[in-house]
Structures are given as structure tokens and as C-alpha cells.
Amino acid sequence: MANITFKNNPVTLLGNEVKVGDKAPDFTVLANDLSPVSLADSKGSVRLISVVPSLDTGVCDAQTRRFNEEAAGLDNVKILTVSVDLPFAQKRWCGANGIENVQTLSDHRDLSFGEAYGVGIKELRLLARAVFVVDSNDTVTYVEYVSEATNHPNYEAALEAAKAAN
């Protein structure tokens, strides 16, 4: 498993670490309207999955805004942002911040995504910061588990991986 810290304190990750070349694990999370969403719902597209602890924090806000801005330049790439924030809070945050190019998804119900991708933080019931790129055939082509959850991911590497997976 990846070694992750949250505010410099080691945390325990739930689930299995995902690696490049793996078949992307399926999951079920909630859209902002409370409808279930799985990996299969975006089959045929490249998926850039941006994982954040909470949209209402500075780095998570910046990460989601950055991928929202970059989305327009990515053909056949869906950007999914997953957190354990409630769907209502995600919808409010997106509306207040003009986020229209990424789909925010809530893993609050049962940490389905967190456990499938090895990003559930046991001690906090949050998700560790990470980025995954999954190609149109459901193969993982890029993985970044950010070692300190309060740091930014490597945006450029993730965006290049998404373009290359097309």
C-alpha cells in the first residue's frame, strides 16, 4: 500500500492499491441527484478520476477548479471528482463555484470507491488525495497517490496521461 500522511500524520488506507496496467475496479457512488454512478456508466471514454478529501478545503477546491478548467481541452475524457462530501454539499459547492466540466461524485454512503481504489482513510473516513486515469477499455494507465494529503497532485502528468490514453 501507498504510504500516506494527513497533516504529516501517517494514516491507514482501506482497500487495495491500484497499479498501472490493472483492470479498473468497479465502484458505486452517488451523483448530486442521489442516483447511483458506477465506472461502467462512462465506459467508452477515458476517465480522469480526481480524488479529494473534501471540496470545502483549499487544495481540494484548487484541484477541482484546475481539472474543470482543463476539461475543455480534453477530447473524449470525462473528469470525475470523488469525495466523501454529501451529494447536496457537492451540488452547492459546484453551483457556487461555476464548476460545470467535471462530475462530482459522493462516496459517503459506503466508501465503495475508497476501498476499491485503496484511498479510504480509516482514521478520518475521508479519501486520500489521488488521481487515476482509466482508458476506454477500463485499464488503469496512470496512478498518483499523493504522499501528503494536503499537497497538490502532479496536474501536468495526470493531464498528459489522460491525453495519451485517448
Side-chain angles (χ1 to χ4, degrees):
M1 287 298 297
N3 290 320
I4 304 293
T5 58
F6 190 92
K7 296 184 178 178
N8 296 315
N9 296 308
V11 294
T12 307
L13 296 182
L14 303 171
N16 297 311
E17 185 173 358
V18 173
K19 297 186 170 122
V20 170
D22 287 353
K23 178 173 174 33
D26 203 6
F27 55 85
T28 301
V29 291
L30 297 175
N32 293 171
D33 65 1
L34 301 179
S35 63
V37 175
S38 71
L39 183 68
D41 292 331
S42 55
K43 188 162 182 67
S45 296
V46 172
R47 280 68 47 102
L48 187 155
I49 305 172
S50 171
V51 187
V52 299
S54 176
L55 291 171
D56 283 317
T57 62
V59 177
C60 300
D61 176 293
Q63 180 174 332
T64 305
R65 287 175 186 269
R66 172 72 184 269
F67 286 130
N68 184 65
E69 291 166 8
E70 299 284 353
L74 300 172
D75 293 327
N76 195 40
V77 176
K78 293 191 182 299
I79 299 180
L80 311 175
T81 295
V82 183
S83 73
V84 293
D85 296 307
L86 293 174
F88 314 109
Q90 290 179 338
K91 183 176 183 178
R92 177 200 48 77
W93 184 87
C94 288
N97 292 287
I99 303 299
E100 299 175 348
N101 300 322
V102 303
Q103 181 179 15
T104 54
L105 300 167
S106 175
D107 198 23
H108 87 93
R109 188 169 53 190
D110 57 13
L111 291 182
S112 172
F113 181 88
E115 290 185 10
Y117 284 74
V119 292
I121 299 175
K122 179 179 178 181
E123 295 84 353
L124 302 171
R125 204 175 191 293
L126 295 173
L127 301 180
R129 187 174 317 283
V131 180
F132 304 93
V133 175
V134 178
D135 71 13
S136 59
N137 296 314
D138 293 343
T139 300
V140 177
T141 63
Y142 177 84
V143 173
E144 180 185 9
Y145 289 91
V146 180
S147 61
E148 165 53 50
T150 60
N151 291 342
H152 288 269
N154 185 336
Y155 298 110
E156 291 75 21
L159 292 164
E160 286 306 313
K163 290 174 188 172
N166 236 333

